[in-house]
Amino acid sequence: MTDYPHMLSPLDLGFTTLKNRVLMGSMHTNLEERGDWNAVAEFYATRARGGVGLMVTGGMAPNREGGVFPGAEGLYTDADIANHRIVTDRVHDAGGKICMQILHAGRYAYGPECVAPSPIKSPISPFPPKELDEDGIEKQIADIVTAAVRSREAGYDGVEVMGSEGYFLNQFLVTHTNKRTDRWGGSYENRMRLPLEVVRRVRAAVGPDYIVIYRLSMIDLVPDGSTFDEVVQLAQAVEAAGATILNTGIGWHEARVPTIATSVPRAGFAWVTRKLMGKVGIPVITSNRINTPDVAEQVLAEGCADMVSMARPFLADPDFVAKAEAGRADLIAPCIACNQACLDHTFSGKVSSCLVNPKAAFETSLVVEKAATAKSVAVVGAGPAGLSAAITAAERGHKVVLFDKADQIGGQLNMAKVVPGKEEFHGLVDWFAAMLAERGVELRLGAAAGVDDLTGFDEVIVATGVNPRDPEIAGQDHPSVVGYVDVLRGGAEVGKRVAVIGAGGIGFDVSEYLVTGDSPTLDVAAWRREWGVADPAEARAGLAPEGPQPDPAARQVVMFQRKAEKPGKRLGKTTGWIHRAALKMKGVEMRAGVNYERIDDAGLHVSYGEARERPEVVAVDTVVLCAGQVSERSLADALEAAGVSCHVIGGADVAAELDAKRAIDQGVRLAAGL
Ligand code: NAP
Ligand code: SF4
């Protein structure tokens, strides 16, 4: 008997059956643009072997003007079919099923050729779109249909028509972007015409025995978006036009509400999809922030959907379904929804991978194989770098001993997990613990390892991490001054008026910790209030008329940095705005370009600019130092002095701009080659 009877039950689509209720949602890896179709095929085949019921590819453009960026991959000509055939053959050999997503970006296309229903520039693109005329619209439909036909010739099991997230089809649906007065604009019947024509003509062209998924925006989260009655009307019309499955889209890309970040509650939008259940006859898929089998099972058991879509969780662990089936959900590497190695990479033109699993999208180049000779390996430091090195070395058959002076594993991850909105880090530490046990790594916790403990090992890996940087501010020994470690680990007492010195990742985390009471991430209703997400049946597009209503800040916080640039500028590309907005909503002030003059009973004394102008005393009860970090190298230096060779990784190697992504990547890559 499985713990996941709903998630693991098959889904009969009439002409074909999916082996379970799990869809791997569309993700753009950037591998296609590099032309390495073997890597693309292996990426999907690895996930097919892991047991997922159905996969959807990253978005494929139907024509040049519809590509997300110039040069975006697509099925532009018959010649492209052969490349896709490599993928579909490999997936089918692995026992999987795969649909190709057709993505026309409309005004979101990042190039001068972009087209849209009306010539209104999007706030997230510098390119004003060209308004399509009747012939232009017919061409777009014809190109989408041709792409669908080519997908069938390429051996796919179906297509997903991307109709949500504010892309081309979505742009026709709402007056926010469609100001037309012809038969493609005006009334809702007219605005629906394009998506419905697309589905109808795609179905006619591909025949009855081909999966057609329509991704429908259930809650636009932008002004003048769809009402819920319109969403239901569209869903029913899309079904009548021939769709096999309805997938859920949440929020346009330009929405100012987070929809997939780690601070969004788990399954935080399943309630939206549930509102459509019973209103259509075809299966409905829900999505967003579903990242464990327990959450997936609960969403299905509660009747929120017929199937769940998870995308990033399949970067973190391609064997998600197989491990759930085997009753080993504890071994599933969790997606912590950080976006650091996936979406942040996608939008920087890099290959998307995963912070937790650096092998993702590198299946052909980062291969962890059994070592020819088993060695004894000592790893010192049970933070992300050391943990990753230890479990990877053990996977290769080495005998691994992991030391840490703390009495628990996790290192800096244990600080992240107490920050409101970063609760996913609990799961990451738990996963590392499960993997250490599974791989038979010997743990020696609670005592610092010295040179004597480490002689006799074939390999020594030093992952001793970092220490807080001393900012050398006059008066920093004043009793009002504490370090971030004292706050996040030690529960140091912090007053009601606080100055945070340093506005890097940790300064932001500490500020969030200090202003937030109960974490809204653990309470969907509170989170919706915080960001102004209403029931779309009561407020158009799900935007609460009263706007965001955050709880009052628990403290008054002012953040400082010496650089004159905008604080938070270097936070994650796709998540930095969320951290900045969250703190702004709590009234956190941010000051850049400061000099720290001194700290005394009156508070923090600062001045501004090179000329030390505008001297100011900021009256605070507590000053928290978050001034960056320096490498902890004492063990590495002692080993070197004793003539014991070692590998130094993570923060002990380079402290600047250290994050868990770099630490884990370095740990895995080192151990893969030992
Ligand atoms: P960081 O991002 O490098 O920030 C250090 C902060 O300290 C900066 O604001 C810096 O600004 C200030 N600083 C540096 N030297 C100073 C000095 N001598 N005196 C006073 N202030 C000084 O480091 P972090 O905040 O410790 O974070 C460590 C790493 O973890 C970073 O790479 C960070 O991205 C990562 N992290 C990421 C997240 C996330 O949300 N993605 C969260 C936590 C941590 P000025 O030099 O301009 O004053
Ligand atoms: Fe999830 Fe972060 Fe990995 Fe992306 S990088 S898949 S968000 S854990």
Side-chain angles (χ1 to χ4, degrees):
M1 177 60 190
T2 168
D3 289 337
Y4 312 108
H6 293 87
M7 185 182 90
L8 297 177
S9 70
L11 181 63
D12 185 359
L13 298 176
F15 55 90
T16 187
T17 299
L18 307 181
K19 57 187 166 197
N20 52 55
R21 305 295 179 108
V22 182
L23 177 93
M24 180 175 114
S26 174
M27 287 178 286
H28 194 80
T29 61
N30 274 333
L31 282 173
E32 293 86 351
E33 281 73 20
R34 279 161 175 71
D36 188 350
W37 288 90
N38 181 43
V40 178
E42 207 42 45
F43 172 76
Y44 288 110
T46 302
R47 281 140 187 95
R49 282 192 288 275
V52 62
L54 181 63
M55 295 181 285
V56 178
T57 67
M60 295 292 150
N63 53 28
R64 305 278 167 197
E65 58 269 34
V68 176
F69 50 88
E73 193 53 42
L75 269 171
Y76 302 124
T77 68
D78 286 344
D80 293 315
I81 292 173
N83 289 331
H84 288 262
R85 191 40 97 176
I86 302 170
V87 177
T88 56
D89 282 349
R90 196 86 58 88
V91 166
H92 292 148
D93 287 350
K97 285 190 164 50
I98 185 164
C99 291
M100 190 193 82
Q101 188 188 73
I102 303 177
L103 169 61
H104 190 310
R107 72 176 193 154
Y108 280 168
Y110 209 76
E113 304 298 313
C114 63
V115 295
S118 299
I120 309 167
K121 193 181 82 61
S122 114
I124 57 172
S125 164
F127 300 101
K130 187 173 138 249
E131 183 177 62
L132 287 164
D133 60 14
E134 180 77 25
D135 288 350
I137 291 175
E138 282 297 335
K139 175 185 183 298
Q140 305 310 311
I141 299 173
D143 288 348
I144 292 171
V145 173
T146 303
V149 171
R150 287 190 179 124
S151 78
R152 182 152 203 170
E153 286 165 25
Y156 285 102
D157 300 280
V159 282
E160 177 173 82
V161 175
M162 181 43 147
S164 65
E165 259 73 5
Y167 288 116
F168 184 59
L169 302 186
N170 216 171
Q171 290 159 23
F172 271 78
L173 283 166
V174 299
T175 56
H176 181 64
T177 39
N178 183 347
K179 310 285 184 196
R180 303 179 73 93
T181 52
D182 60 2
R183 67 192 190 107
W184 305 99
S187 67
Y188 192 58
E189 279 66 28
N190 281 355
R191 284 181 275 130
M192 277 198 308
R193 193 180 308 280
L194 177 76
L196 295 182
E197 277 303 305
V198 164
V199 175
R200 196 174 297 126
R201 293 196 216 172
V202 164
R203 171 57 75 206
V206 296
D209 56 345
Y210 199 58
I211 300 171
V212 176
I213 305 170
Y214 185 83
R215 182 117 173 245
L216 189 150
S217 181
M218 304 255 177
I219 180 168
D220 291 334
L221 299 173
V222 291
D224 298 327
S226 295
T227 65
F228 200 67
D229 284 347
E230 289 170 345
V231 168
V232 173
Q233 196 183 336
L234 176 67
Q236 291 170 343
V238 165
E239 177 180 10
T244 322
I245 297 174
L246 281 172
N247 195 0
T248 296
I250 300 291
W252 286 35
H253 285 322
E254 67 203 61
R256 300 319 283 167
V257 177
T259 54
I260 60 167
T262 189
S263 57
V264 175
R266 284 180 172 181
F269 287 96
W271 60 275
V272 181
T273 315
R274 185 183 201 163
K275 296 174 75 69
L276 195 63
M277 292 297 279
K279 299 203 162 46
V280 289
I282 53 178
V284 176
I285 304 177
T286 192
S287 70
N288 288 51
R289 285 292 282 119
I290 297 167
N291 67 339
T292 71
D294 285 325
V295 175
E297 179 65 18
Q298 192 183 341
V299 159
L300 293 171
E302 287 174 356
C304 296
D306 301 293
M307 205 171 167
V308 291
S309 169
M310 290 178 268
R312 297 170 298 169
F314 284 97
L315 292 176
D317 200 327
D319 296 321
F320 184 104
V321 173
K323 288 177 182 173
E325 264 168 350
R328 293 307 310 268
D330 59 328
L331 299 183
I332 297 174
C335 166
I336 57 171
C338 63
N339 285 359
Q340 281 174 252
C342 52
L343 281 171
D344 286 352
H345 278 205
T346 310
F347 290 110
S348 314
K350 296 187 206 160
V351 171
S352 304
S353 185
C354 176
L355 173 142
V356 175
N357 172 25
K359 290 181 284 180
F362 290 86
E363 283 78 13
T364 55
S365 55
L366 178 53
V367 183
V368 176
E369 286 172 327
K370 277 271 175 261
T373 318
K375 297 178 182 176
S376 61
V377 179
V379 181
V380 186
L387 288 164
S388 307
I391 60 177
T392 307
E395 182 181 347
R396 303 195 57 222
H398 298 314
K399 185 167 168 25
V400 183
V401 182
L402 176 61
F403 299 82
D404 200 297
K405 64 180 186 323
D407 56 11
Q408 59 174 341
I409 66 159
Q412 302 253 80
L413 300 176
N414 292 317
M415 283 193 277
K417 71 188 189 188
V418 304
V419 176
K422 290 204 160 179
E423 291 81 4
E424 289 295 348
F425 280 85
H426 284 279
L428 182 56
V429 177
D430 292 347
W431 174 73
F432 275 123
M435 291 302 290
L436 292 174
E438 179 69 10
R439 299 260 163 87
V441 173
E442 184 187 333
L443 270 178
R444 293 192 201 162
L445 298 177
V451 174
D452 291 347
D453 300 302
L454 301 172
T455 46
F457 285 93
D458 297 324
E459 304 278 358
V460 177
I461 300 174
V462 175
T464 42
V466 290
N467 290 315
R469 175 187 285 126
D470 177 359
E472 299 178 12
I473 299 171
Q476 67 181 27
D477 53 355
H478 189 271
S480 64
V481 180
V482 292
Y484 68 85
V485 180
D486 308 318
V487 174
L488 295 178
R489 269 194 208 257
E493 220 164 275
V494 178
K496 285 287 178 196
R497 298 169 309 162
V498 187
V500 171
I501 289 188
I506 291 181
F508 268 78
D509 276 1
V510 164
S511 300
E512 190 94 48
Y513 176 82
L514 292 175
V515 294
T516 309
D518 293 335
S519 174
T521 299
L522 302 177
D523 177 350
V524 176
W527 184 87
R528 282 176 52 189
R529 239 188 356 264
E530 175 125 349
W531 288 95
V533 178
D535 183 337
E538 289 163 17
R540 182 180 278 277
L543 288 182
E546 66 276 19
Q549 300 287 313
D551 286 343
R555 291 180 180 80
Q556 194 185 326
V557 171
V558 189
M559 296 171 73
F560 296 88
Q561 75 178 23
R562 297 171 308 170
K563 286 187 285 295
E565 69 186 32
K566 183 171 159 192
K569 189 178 165 208
R570 295 159 201 245
L571 296 175
K573 210 173 169 66
T574 60
T575 53
W577 71 272
I578 302 170
H579 296 297
R580 287 191 295 271
L583 291 186
K584 203 170 160 201
M585 287 199 290
K586 296 282 193 189
V588 173
E589 283 179 51
M590 298 183 195
R591 307 215 188 144
V594 304
N595 309 297
Y596 303 113
E597 300 294 352
R598 65 183 184 283
I599 300 164
D600 60 20
D601 289 347
L604 172 66
H605 298 249
V606 294
S607 63
Y608 292 85
E610 275 181 33
R612 307 189 100 85
E613 292 163 328
R614 291 185 283 131
E616 181 188 6
V617 52
V618 187
V620 290
D621 313 307
T622 309
V623 176
V624 187
L625 304 179
C626 306
Q629 299 155 329
V630 292
S631 297
E632 168 49 66
R633 291 193 61 98
S634 51
L635 177 64
D637 292 343
L639 286 167
E640 200 176 307
V644 180
S645 76
C646 64
H647 310 271
V648 184
I649 60 171
D653 177 26
V654 180
E657 308 209 335
L658 169 71
D659 60 16
K661 180 180 82 170
R662 175 154 64 78
I664 291 174
D665 187 75
Q666 207 180 1
V668 170
R669 283 177 196 275
L670 170 71
L674 280 185

